[in-house]
Amino acid sequence: MPAYLCPQDGTRADTTALTWCCPVCRGPWDLAFEPSGPLSLNSLPGRVNSLWRYEEALPLSAPATTLGEGRTPLVPLTGTVSAKLDFLMPTLSFKDRGAVMLAELARRLSPERVVADSSGNAGTAVAAYCARASLPCTVYVPEGTSPKKTEQIRAHGAHLEIVPGDREATAAAARSAADAPGTFYASHVFNPYFLHGTKTYVYELWEDLGGRLPDAIAVPVGNGTLLLGAALATAELHAQGLIDRRPALIAVQAEAVSPLAAAFRAGADDLPDALPGPAAPTLAEGIAIPRPPRARAVLAAVRESGGTFLTVTEDRIRAAQLDLAARGFYVETTGVACWAAVGDWTDRSVVVPLCGAGLKTGLAP
């Protein structure tokens, strides 16, 4: 059985416990888990056409909550840049990859309630999969969250709590609620099962590219869940001898809210204890996270891969959204950040995720 493991102090906990953080340091859990066996390309044809086809690599199996998530198309944008269309997931964002893992785990633990916090996409995904699992769900979102996202959360039957203030205030409110007995905190940041869902993004790339990966994988980074999932997958594939090199991980942040990029450029291993002032507004609301709890892990993963951080201005985000729309892809403003950052690369192959549908936020003003 997998176990929760604190990367800071080594504390362990059973995954059947409704514990959402390390009781010693209150930090996020990792998962002590090893794939059950190596995959092979020849074993995959004929398997279920969802992320659950990579069952050897997943800490849960035989899900009852699946909505057919995963296996999104990979299409070329230029001679070197390709896009993975994760906005075609059931709730229109890549967060379904992790949300299905959280809802399936919660279903097996039978809590009295599920709570989650989000700037929108994770909340809609958790709401949808809790509906699928017949679990009562409350989602906390900051004021100013896109009305289309809050509408989607309500449509799935979740109770919506709109929190005055920013994303940090929203997380604090959800974590307070998560401490109540009988509560499962479906945190896409603190619960490592979410990361093991997002890592299937890279397993799909590996399969679709015939057993190899591109030179680089660019991902938008706020809390860093997709990047950390990618780091898990590349490490697992490399350890099993299924790839001979690990691609560089390119972390993209909005210039307006880029604490991790600043720490990376300063050579720091973590964020400073005090960050200057409140977060500035940005069109990339989904990655506007001033103090991500897994900052240390994100910085280490980028460095170990030989990757880097890139930042994009608001004008480049606007231009990238229109450019992708002109190519046939209507993507929300957070989801275009990577295209804004690497769209003109010509010297190496790179894959960018188109993480959320444009209908979730509309065109940038």
Side-chain angles (χ1 to χ4, degrees), residues 170-217:
T170 303
R175 291 167 196 166
S176 178
D179 286 329
T183 302
F184 180 88
Y185 183 26
S187 172
H188 60 293
V189 181
F190 277 76
N191 193 305
Y193 276 84
F194 192 93
L195 306 182
H196 283 268
T198 61
K199 76 182 182 185
T200 58
Y201 173 90
V202 171
Y203 277 91
E204 291 175 18
L205 292 180
W206 170 77
E207 181 182 359
D208 289 343
L209 294 173
R212 61 181 182 84
L213 290 174
D215 297 326
I217 299 172

Side-chain angles (χ1 to χ4, degrees), residues 15-50:
T15 56
T16 60
L18 295 177
T19 176
W20 62 269
C21 68
C22 172
V24 178
C25 70
R26 301 285 285 181
W29 291 116
D30 282 350
L31 196 65
F33 168 77
E34 295 289 339
S36 62
L39 284 166
S40 72
L41 289 176
N42 292 336
S43 73
L44 296 176
R47 291 191 181 189
V48 62
N49 193 36
S50 73

Side-chain angles (χ1 to χ4, degrees), residues 120-136:
N121 283 339
T124 60
V126 170
Y129 284 94
C130 281
R132 182 72 164 173
S134 299
L135 291 167

Side-chain angles (χ1 to χ4, degrees), residues 295-321:
R296 179 179 289 272
V298 171
L299 290 165
V302 172
R303 288 195 175 99
E304 289 169 7
S305 76
T308 191
F309 274 81
L310 302 175
T311 60
V312 290
T313 65
E314 302 302 291
D315 285 344
R316 289 180 68 186
I317 291 172
R318 290 186 183 90
Q321 187 183 37

Side-chain angles (χ1 to χ4, degrees), residues 33-359:
F33 168 77
E34 295 289 339
S36 62
L39 284 166
S40 72
L41 289 176
N42 292 336
S43 73
L44 296 176
R47 291 191 181 189
V48 62
N49 193 36
S50 73
L51 63 80
W52 297 96
R53 69 199 277 112
Y54 312 108
E55 57 184 352
E56 295 93 336
L58 295 175
L60 295 172
S61 62
T65 54
T66 181
L67 293 168
E69 56 286 332
R71 298 297 294 138
T72 55
L74 179 67
V75 298
L77 292 175
T78 71
T80 57
V81 182
S82 296
K84 189 151 175 60
L85 310 189
D86 263 23
F87 68 91
L88 298 180
M89 299 284 259
T91 76
L92 307 181
S93 90
F94 88 93
K95 296 289 176 61
D96 291 1
R97 294 185 183 275
V100 68
M101 301 292 287
L102 296 182
E104 180 63 21
L105 178 61
R107 184 189 69 82
R108 298 180 189 197
L109 299 181
S110 300
E112 296 176 21
R113 68 194 67 82
V114 175
V115 300
D117 61 283
S118 169
S119 59
N121 283 339
T124 60
V126 170
Y129 284 94
C130 281
R132 182 72 164 173
S134 299
L135 291 167
C137 177
T138 298
V139 179
Y140 292 76
V141 300
E143 60 184 356
T145 298
S146 165
K148 293 296 183 182
K149 294 179 181 179
T150 57
E151 177 185 317
Q152 190 177 3
I153 291 168
R154 288 193 175 101
H156 290 305
H159 176 69
L160 187 69
E161 288 282 353
I162 298 177
V163 179
D166 60 11
R167 185 66 180 83
E168 297 288 288
T170 303
R175 291 167 196 166
S176 178
D179 286 329
T183 302
F184 180 88
Y185 183 26
S187 172
H188 60 293
V189 181
F190 277 76
N191 193 305
Y193 276 84
F194 192 93
L195 306 182
H196 283 268
T198 61
K199 76 182 182 185
T200 58
Y201 173 90
V202 171
Y203 277 91
E204 291 175 18
L205 292 180
W206 170 77
E207 181 182 359
D208 289 343
L209 294 173
R212 61 181 182 84
L213 290 174
D215 297 326
I217 299 172
V219 293
V221 171
N223 278 306
T225 54
L226 183 53
L227 184 136
L228 292 173
L232 276 172
T234 57
E236 290 172 358
L237 289 166
H238 190 261
Q240 295 174 52
L242 297 174
I243 54 174
D244 57 10
R245 56 165 185 79
R246 296 169 65 175
L249 298 178
I250 310 300
V252 179
Q253 295 203 290
E255 187 175 285
V257 186
S258 51
L260 290 166
F264 182 86
R265 291 164 184 163
D269 294 330
D270 204 346
L271 296 179
D273 291 336
L275 293 175
T282 175
L283 294 166
E285 62 179 10
I287 53 174
I289 309 297
R291 186 170 288 280
R294 294 186 185 270
R296 179 179 289 272
V298 171
L299 290 165
V302 172
R303 288 195 175 99
E304 289 169 7
S305 76
T308 191
F309 274 81
L310 302 175
T311 60
V312 290
T313 65
E314 302 302 291
D315 285 344
R316 289 180 68 186
I317 291 172
R318 290 186 183 90
Q321 187 183 37
L322 292 174
D323 181 70
L324 281 172
R327 298 169 185 263
F329 305 107
Y330 187 33
V331 183
E332 69 170 332
T333 45
T334 298
V336 306
C338 291
W339 175 241
V342 305
D344 57 356
W345 282 20
T346 59
D347 59 338
R348 52 178 166 164
S349 61
V350 59
V351 171
V352 301
L354 304 186
C355 293
L359 294 175

